[in-house]
Amino acid sequence: MSRKLSWTRRGEWLELMPGKLPAREGLDRLDAAKAWLEEELQAPPKLLRKLRAEDGIKLAGDRLRLLAFPPRVSQYAPFEAELPLLYEDDFCLVVHKPAGLKVHPDGGETSGGASGQSLASPDTLANRVAGWYASLGEPIAAAHIHRLDEDTSGPVLFAKNEYAHLKLDEAMSRKAIDRTYIAFVQGIVSPELKVIDQPIGRDRHHNQRRRVSPGGKGAITHLERLEVYPKHDASLVRLTLETGRTHQIRVHLSAAGHPLVGDALYGGNTKWLSHQALHGERLSFPHPLSGEAVELEDPWPPAMNRLRDHFSL
């Protein structure tokens, strides 16, 4: 729930203006401040206990300060490359991930020379974010809150400090972070196809694939048909997810007889595009401090616009 809140960043400290906090029976002033933060801001209790123990909560009249922005070293080696920013403040960063780039290293990205030589920093979105802050001289260890497939483009949300990380993780767990996708699929999608509710599990015959399986985990995809292209036997659809299973959109559309254009792993034809035609179009999330809704759009990448132009001929 959003709330009106006056706050200022002062170096490593977050300064809040809650007004004069009333004394609470059996609590000293700092414990009363901690209780107010938990009740009014739903601040992470785990983090507040840590700050209380490390003298990271301070009171001065009607000002309440938290050590919310201490310098941190990223676990990702900096990689300097283009990083299209969609949104940034003291708590959050949202960047566009292009198709063909992994969100984070999985152990297969580094390459080096002979034994004893240092390996090159992997080129992933997380490493590019680390490189961005290193180039600015800012000691920030941004952590991604969600992921996209390597060949899916779209916005990715990062938390810039521990407070934001805990709050956004909690928002993910209660499904308060919404993502909307657009996709080009094969076949003419029926306007009656609005929900795909089928469990998804691993494909024991293929390590990379998932499949619709009665023994899998519940998965629900909402679908809206936007355009059809009879000449090319293809459709444009918009998708939202109630669940976030691995490859959910790709599995569900393939099972419905409409594999994504370019998605060879799930039966899509690659004659128009060499990777799945799937793009994260919109992202919304509650701001970790204020609770206010942050809503962002990520413009279509050129490859998707070219595909639409081709299908529209």
Side-chain angles (χ1 to χ4, degrees):
M1 181 176 181
S2 64
R3 60 196 74 85
K4 293 294 183 182
L5 183 67
S6 175
W7 64 276
T8 305
R9 178 174 178 176
R10 300 193 183 281
E12 296 179 16
W13 294 84
L14 170 67
E15 184 175 276
L16 303 167
M17 303 290 285
K20 196 74 172 180
L21 295 175
R24 300 197 183 195
E25 185 177 352
L27 297 179
D28 63 21
R29 292 184 70 225
L30 285 180
D31 281 330
K34 176 174 170 288
W36 178 85
L37 288 162
E38 289 181 356
E39 294 167 8
E40 297 298 322
L41 296 189
Q42 289 80 54
K46 175 183 176 182
L47 178 60
L48 293 179
R49 288 193 295 270
K50 176 183 175 183
L51 291 176
R52 179 74 168 90
E54 298 175 355
D55 198 27
I57 303 177
K58 295 185 181 295
L59 278 168
D62 62 353
R63 293 174 296 169
L64 171 58
R65 289 185 174 184
L66 302 180
L67 186 60
F69 310 107
R72 299 194 302 166
V73 177
S74 176
Q75 65 175 303
Y76 301 109
F79 187 98
E80 293 193 18
E82 181 182 1
L83 190 71
L85 272 60
L86 300 174
Y87 175 89
E88 186 180 22
D89 63 20
D90 287 323
F91 292 86
C92 308
L93 172 74
V94 181
V95 297
H96 167 78
K97 187 193 83 66
L101 184 71
K102 295 179 181 179
V103 169
H104 60 86
D106 62 9
E109 301 83 1
T110 57
S111 60
S115 176
Q117 292 183 337
S118 60
L119 297 176
S121 298
D123 182 10
T124 74
L125 192 65
N127 294 92
R128 290 187 182 190
V129 168
W132 166 259
Y133 286 119
S135 70
L136 297 175
E138 297 184 19
I140 293 172
H144 56 85
I145 301 300
H146 61 95
R147 291 185 288 270
L148 294 174
D149 286 350
E150 180 177 354
D151 288 325
T152 299
S153 58
V156 177
L157 172 61
F158 286 78
K160 293 175 61 177
N161 54 48
E162 189 175 2
Y163 185 105
H165 196 173
L166 291 169
K167 288 287 286 183
L168 291 172
D169 274 350
E170 187 271 336
M172 275 291 289
S173 68
R174 58 185 172 87
K175 301 177 183 178
I177 296 178
D178 296 320
R179 289 165 285 170
T180 302
Y181 300 83
I182 55 97
F184 290 96
V185 302
Q186 294 177 204
I188 304 302
V189 174
S190 167
E192 304 302 316
L193 181 60
K194 297 181 182 298
V195 180
I196 303 174
D197 183 353
Q198 293 183 298
I200 293 176
R202 290 184 176 275
D203 187 337
R204 65 178 183 273
H205 301 296
H206 196 299
N207 289 336
Q208 292 181 306
R209 285 174 55 100
R210 301 295 189 273
R211 65 185 181 92
V212 166
S213 169
K217 295 181 179 180
I220 301 175
T221 301
H222 295 268
L223 181 148
E224 176 189 5
R225 189 181 81 169
L226 300 178
E227 298 175 2
V228 294
Y229 313 102
K231 180 180 176 181
H232 299 281
D233 193 30
S235 304
L236 172 67
V237 296
R238 178 171 289 131
L239 306 134
T240 57
L241 306 180
E242 280 193 33
T243 51
R245 308 303 176 202
T246 300
H247 295 181
Q248 179 173 322
I249 289 174
R250 300 165 66 187
V251 173
H252 271 175
L253 269 296
S254 179
H258 299 290
L260 272 64
V261 168
D263 190 2
L265 186 62
Y266 290 100
N269 195 317
T270 59
K271 69 178 180 179
W272 296 303
L273 198 64
S274 62
H275 59 82
Q276 67 256 22
L278 181 62
H279 172 65
E281 185 180 45
R282 297 174 188 153
L283 170 71
S284 66
F285 59 94
H287 191 274
L289 184 65
S290 70
E292 295 179 357
V294 179
E295 299 181 352
L296 305 167
E297 293 192 2
D298 189 350
W300 290 21
M304 296 291 276
N305 282 314
R306 287 194 297 268
L307 190 57
R308 187 182 194 181
D309 290 343
H310 174 73
F311 284 161
S312 298
L313 293 176

